[in-house]
Amino acid sequence: MRALAKVFAASAALMVLAAPAAAQEACAPADLTRFTAEAMVSDADLRAESDAALQACASFALDQYRNVGEIEERVLVQIAALAGRTSYATYAADEIPNASPALIALLGVAFRPLYPHLRSLSEEENTAAMRTIVFHLLAQTGPLATGSVARPAPATGARP
């Protein structure tokens, strides 16, 4: 029994030590200098790469929240920055951005720690990120959000 407890303690210690390394890999600080809104406006490939980086970082944050119960501050800052820049660049390129499913899930479980970082973005990036999130959530709820209900197809044939 003591041997099993030592194994669990050792594995927990390894997880704590490995978390910063995983954060560096999933949410590389270099992404913030690489993915600037100005560069992404004219480069669709860079926007797609930024979206993938946002997805990976948000997925890592979800895993970290589930395993540890909190998310590193640096990771939250990076997620907010990538969400804002990617949404802003996509709108500036006259496209409609898609919200990252991992970002939406992260908002569901860790809204309080993430929201201040979204609010601290520049006005343009904040507006773009919030608009993307709201439109995604509205699209998920469908007609329930607007009160619209699909009308039944008109009956063909004779009236009774």
Side-chain angles (χ1 to χ4, degrees):
M1 196 66 153
R2 286 184 180 161
L4 187 59
K6 287 180 182 179
V7 169
F8 284 134
S11 64
L14 286 175
M15 290 293 289
V16 169
L17 294 174
Q24 291 291 335
E25 188 177 309
C27 300
D31 287 348
L32 290 179
T33 56
R34 182 173 174 227
F35 299 119
T36 62
E38 296 79 19
M40 288 190 291
V41 169
S42 60
D43 190 346
D45 292 335
L46 195 59
R47 284 193 305 275
E49 290 174 27
S50 174
D51 199 33
L54 172 60
Q55 177 76 15
C57 199
S59 294
F60 171 78
L62 277 170
D63 291 341
Q64 190 177 47
Y65 187 78
R66 287 181 188 128
N67 294 333
V68 182
E70 61 184 20
I71 302 168
E72 290 177 54
E73 200 69 21
R74 181 192 67 77
V75 173
L76 291 170
V77 168
Q78 185 159 343
I79 290 169
L82 286 173
R85 291 174 186 180
T86 303
S87 295
Y88 177 72
T90 305
Y91 278 121
D94 289 330
E95 295 176 3
I96 298 172
N98 294 318
S100 161
L103 176 63
I104 298 300
L106 183 63
L107 282 170
V109 297
F111 178 80
R112 286 185 188 264
L114 182 59
Y115 184 73
H117 298 291
L118 289 169
R119 288 293 306 156
S120 68
L121 295 173
S122 69
E123 186 176 345
E124 296 86 9
E125 290 178 2
N126 175 281
T127 302
M130 294 298 183
R131 184 178 296 155
T132 301
I133 291 166
V134 167
F135 286 157
H136 175 79
L137 294 174
L138 285 173
Q140 278 187 330
T141 59
L144 298 176
T146 61
S148 303
V149 178
R151 296 178 186 223
T156 56
R159 295 184 139 202

